[in-house]
């Protein structure tokens, strides 16, 4: 099983700041595929990025994803108040699919 | 518009069973693999199971293997999750979710239901 470790646990930033969320896979494999989801309180998760860097439909272009080996990241170029949420990374290349434990983004 | 609607959750005693359903519309159900993901209250997401488009292949998280059975009825656009020998740690919101691409088992999850809460307690 690929374990995903997200960091930091919580990110507290101001509107307009750049946010970088990290996710490290326990081992690197060319078969891995990665996605990022946003979840706001009381809501279902929403897909933001898939295949490491492809934006999902309706994802604002301030969100971008990248990958280098086992390290995957989500960058929010300029935080908006509505970006306050928990963000989860997800690998879906090798069963069992797995999720990271989440990074909470707080807006000061 | 793609919609997924879970049902069947509720309060169950330890050792009991439940069958969750997910009714879908807005896409050709028989062309997509489908997933179940759960989320304990206040915690993160845990992938539970995936079933291929025909129902012939299924995969499960190690934590639930042997107690959960995923199935589907393509004629009625329904996905199911049978949970047996329920434990307190199965308490969670259970979501059904559709992958981005048809025909493939793997895929990021671009549509989710609202979830159904399963509570295991005596």
């Amino acid at each position: 099983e690929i374990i995903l470790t997200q960091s930091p646990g919580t990110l507290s930033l101001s509107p307009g700041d750049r946010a970088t969320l990290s996710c490290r896979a326990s081992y690197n494999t060319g078969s891995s595929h990665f996605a990022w989801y946003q979840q706001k309180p009381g809501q279902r998760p929403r897909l933001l990025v898939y295949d490491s860097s492809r934006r999902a439909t309706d994802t604002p272009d301030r969100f971008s994803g990248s990958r280098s080996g086992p390290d995957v990241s989500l960058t929010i170029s300029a935080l908006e108040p509505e970006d306050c949420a928990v963000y989860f990374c997800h690998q879906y290349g090798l069963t069992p699919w797995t999720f990271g434990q989440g990074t909470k983004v707080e807006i000061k | 518009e793609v919609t997924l609607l879970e049902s069947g959750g509720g309060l169950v005693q330890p050792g009991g069973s439940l069958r969750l359903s997910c009714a879908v519309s807005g896409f050709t159900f028989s062309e997509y693999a489908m997933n179940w993901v759960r989320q304990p209250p206040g915690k993160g997401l845990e992938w539970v199971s995936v079933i291929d488009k025909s129902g012939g292949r299924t995969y499960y998280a190690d934590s639930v293997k042997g107690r959960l059975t995923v199935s589907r009825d393509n004629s009625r656009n329904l996905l199911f999750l049978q949970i047996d020998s329920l434990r307190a740690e199965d308490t969670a919101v259970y979501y059904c979710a559709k992958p981005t691409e048809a025909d493939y088992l793997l895929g990021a999850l671009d549509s989710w239901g609202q979830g159904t809460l399963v509570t295991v307690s005596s």
Side-chain angles (χ1 to χ4, degrees), chain B:
Chain B
E1 180 189 6
V2 173
T3 62
L4 301 91
L5 183 63
E6 303 92 339
S7 61
L11 176 62
V12 189
Q13 290 191 340
S17 297
L18 268 183
R19 189 192 199 202
L20 308 181
S21 300
C22 172
V24 313
S25 63
F27 66 100
T28 306
F29 181 63
S30 61
E31 293 181 354
Y32 286 82
M34 290 295 293
N35 291 257
W36 285 98
V37 176
R38 69 183 182 182
Q39 185 170 36
K43 298 191 176 180
L45 302 171
E46 180 186 18
W47 175 80
V48 170
S49 180
V50 63
I51 184 169
D52 74 355
K53 62 180 182 178
S54 70
R57 285 187 296 164
T58 58
Y59 297 90
Y60 301 93
D62 291 343
S63 61
V64 302
K65 207 172 289 185
R67 297 190 301 116
L68 271 63
T69 304
V70 61
S71 61
R72 64 192 296 160
D73 183 341
N74 286 347
S75 68
R76 295 192 295 158
N77 287 2
L78 289 171
L79 176 72
F80 303 104
L81 185 68
Q82 175 74 29
I83 315 175
D84 298 318
S85 303
L86 278 155
R87 308 166 180 171
E89 52 264 37
D90 294 320
T91 295
V93 174
Y94 285 73
Y95 296 100
C96 59
K98 166 195 163 291
T100 51
E101 295 188 37
D103 298 324
Y104 296 104
L105 186 67
L106 60 84
L109 306 176
D110 66 357
S111 297
W112 298 62
Q114 88 292 340
T116 187
L117 176 62
V118 173
T119 303
V120 184
S121 176
S122 54

Side-chain angles (χ1 to χ4, degrees), chain A:
Chain A
E1 170 176 325
I2 296 177
I3 297 171
L4 301 180
T5 303
Q6 291 186 238
S7 61
T10 302
L11 205 48
S12 185
L13 296 168
S14 299
D17 285 349
R18 182 183 185 89
T20 301
L21 288 66
S22 298
C23 174
R24 169 163 286 187
S26 56
Y27 62 92
N28 188 30
T29 166
S31 300
S32 294
H33 297 263
F34 295 92
W36 288 92
Y37 302 85
Q38 176 192 67
Q39 187 178 33
K40 297 181 179 180
Q43 296 185 16
R44 69 197 78 183
R46 170 196 173 194
L47 177 65
L48 293 177
V49 168
Y50 66 102
D51 286 348
S52 298
S53 60
R54 300 176 67 180
R55 287 189 199 92
T57 303
D58 297 331
T59 298
D61 59 9
R62 64 179 181 275
F63 291 91
S64 62
S66 64
R67 177 187 178 182
S68 177
D71 295 313
V72 186
S73 63
L74 177 72
T75 299
I76 310 172
S77 60
L79 275 168
E80 300 277 350
E82 61 263 31
D83 298 335
C84 180
V86 179
Y87 294 81
F88 296 96
C89 61
H90 171 214
Q91 77 80 21
Y92 54 92
L94 293 175
T95 57
W97 313 155
T98 48
F99 287 91
Q101 80 279 17
T103 290
K104 184 177 183 179
V105 173
E106 297 177 339
I107 309 296
K108 292 179 183 175

